Amino acid sequence: MNEAFVARAQETLAQDKSIVPEFWQNKYKAEAAKNWDKFYNRNATNFFKDRHWTDREFEELRPGHTFSEKKPVLLEIGCGVGNFIWPVLKSNPDLKIFACDFSPRAVGYVQANENYSEDRCCAFVCDITKDRLADTIPPRSVDIVSAIFVFSALPPEKQAAAVANIVEILKPGGRILFRDYGMYDLAQLRFKPGHKLEDNLYVRQDGTLSYYFSTQRLRELFVEYGGLLELENDYTIKRLVNAKKNIDSERIFAQAKFQAPIDTETIDIALAGARIADSGQHSNTDMDTC
């Protein structure tokens, strides 16, 4: 992002001085899962398109990558109705996928899909900010975790707990593939007054949350807090052009890769201060098993 663009974006955001009242902030955060479940009730499987682009952005998902020699295990967090799952399962026959979402309705759509087979895919309900993944997936058993447009749906104060949860099931050397909304994205700049909960956190009309990430925030979460190694961490900028609507702007996404250290001692140290079971947030309610 060039300096002129950043300056204009900061000026736009500075004009919005209104903050959602504390009561509503707490309500939107507490009902994050409920509001996404309502979203899928309204839209079913018709809102998002299948993500055929993921293996172009992340080589780890392609057949023949180093992980494929080991019959890799992948966990997708925030799976929605399966728009990531189906293209990846089709393109990579060696992959075994665990998939979770905090919306029971979304998980139900995945399980009801004609392509769903428990031999290759296990979908279950899980709120990664409080439900321990290791109750369903063995610790240190996952090669790849895909976090594609999911952390933005979580309140910032709960994001670190989600990272600790993921790290517990990640193999030594396993990787997290991350893509989400970046700071100064077009969607952030378009929010009208009355939608801002705090810096970089907004609520949509339907009550769902949207957080916009800086690369510094990602480093703080996954490296400083999670104890992972940073392989990539940058902004991806996609130009959006629509002549009919007179739109010529840029979508900004934060894209990164993080890797668990090879030595398990480093992972244990990171987990010691961040384990969800010790945080008072741990919950086993409504967890499915595969």
Side-chain angles (χ1 to χ4, degrees):
M1 291 184 284
N2 63 58
E3 292 182 2
F5 170 79
V6 171
R8 291 195 302 271
Q10 289 176 339
E11 182 180 355
T12 298
L13 295 178
Q15 294 174 6
D16 184 5
K17 301 184 184 301
S18 62
I19 300 294
V20 172
E22 184 177 359
F23 170 83
W24 288 102
Q25 289 186 39
N26 294 334
K27 182 176 176 63
Y28 288 132
K29 291 178 179 181
E31 296 182 354
K34 179 180 177 180
N35 288 328
W36 273 106
D37 208 51
K38 289 180 178 179
F39 171 90
Y40 289 114
N41 184 42
R42 290 190 302 272
N43 297 287
T45 61
N46 303 315
F47 192 84
F48 298 112
K49 296 179 180 179
D50 282 353
R51 293 169 175 166
H52 294 282
W53 51 267
T54 53
D55 60 353
R56 295 195 301 270
E57 297 289 340
F58 299 109
E59 62 182 15
E60 290 85 352
L61 301 175
R62 302 172 196 163
H65 191 273
T66 303
F67 285 123
S68 295
E69 298 173 3
K70 308 173 186 176
K71 298 285 185 179
V73 175
L74 181 148
L75 166 65
E76 190 196 12
I77 55 174
C79 66
V81 297
N83 300 102
F84 168 89
I85 298 170
W86 315 126
V88 171
L89 281 178
K90 183 177 181 180
S91 65
N92 192 337
D94 293 327
L95 207 58
K96 162 74 175 182
I97 292 183
F98 289 92
C100 69
D101 200 286
F102 60 8
S103 164
R105 198 176 302 273
V107 171
Y109 282 125
V110 172
Q111 294 171 336
N113 190 286
E114 62 181 1
N115 296 307
Y116 184 77
S117 169
E118 292 187 354
D119 291 336
R120 296 198 62 201
C121 182
C122 169
F124 60 102
V125 177
C126 177
D127 181 340
I128 59 170
T129 68
K130 62 180 182 179
D131 299 328
R132 190 180 179 209
L133 287 165
D135 288 340
T136 300
I137 305 170
R140 295 176 183 165
S141 66
V142 173
D143 297 281
I144 306 168
V145 174
S146 61
I148 312 293
F149 297 106
V150 58
F151 268 81
S152 55
L154 306 178
E157 63 270 19
K158 295 184 179 181
Q159 291 170 359
V163 171
N165 202 359
I166 295 167
V167 169
E168 188 176 14
I169 52 85
L170 197 61
K171 280 182 181 179
R175 294 182 181 179
I176 297 175
L177 312 179
F178 182 99
R179 181 160 174 163
D180 219 316
Y181 302 111
M183 279 181 60
Y184 312 135
D185 178 51
L186 175 64
Q188 181 181 17
L189 300 179
R190 283 184 167 180
F191 273 110
K192 298 292 191 293
H195 290 265
K196 183 177 179 180
L197 278 66
E198 57 187 80
D199 286 348
N200 299 320
L201 179 66
Y202 298 79
V203 62
R204 301 184 183 93
Q205 287 292 127
D206 61 3
T208 59
L209 301 179
S210 186
Y211 184 85
Y212 295 84
F213 286 91
S214 66
T215 54
Q216 180 181 352
R217 173 62 175 168
L218 293 183
R219 189 170 296 116
E220 176 185 298
L221 283 172
F222 290 95
V223 179
E224 297 177 14
Y225 187 87
L228 303 178
L229 306 175
E230 180 181 292
L231 303 181
E232 298 177 13
N233 185 9
D234 207 346
Y235 299 104
T236 295
I237 300 175
K238 303 292 184 182
R239 191 177 179 191
L240 177 64
V241 178
N242 188 322
K244 288 185 178 181
K245 296 184 178 181
N246 195 30
I247 295 175
D248 186 352
S249 191
E250 294 178 336
R251 297 305 309 269
I252 300 174
F253 307 111
Q255 185 162 309
K257 295 181 185 179
F258 301 96
Q259 181 169 298
I262 299 298
D263 62 295
T264 57
E265 182 179 355
T266 302
I267 300 176
D268 289 337
I269 292 172
L271 285 174
R275 193 179 301 275
I276 287 183
D278 297 333
S279 70
Q281 299 185 61
H282 177 57
S283 169
N284 290 324
T285 59
D286 299 322
M287 288 284 285
D288 296 331
T289 56
C290 298

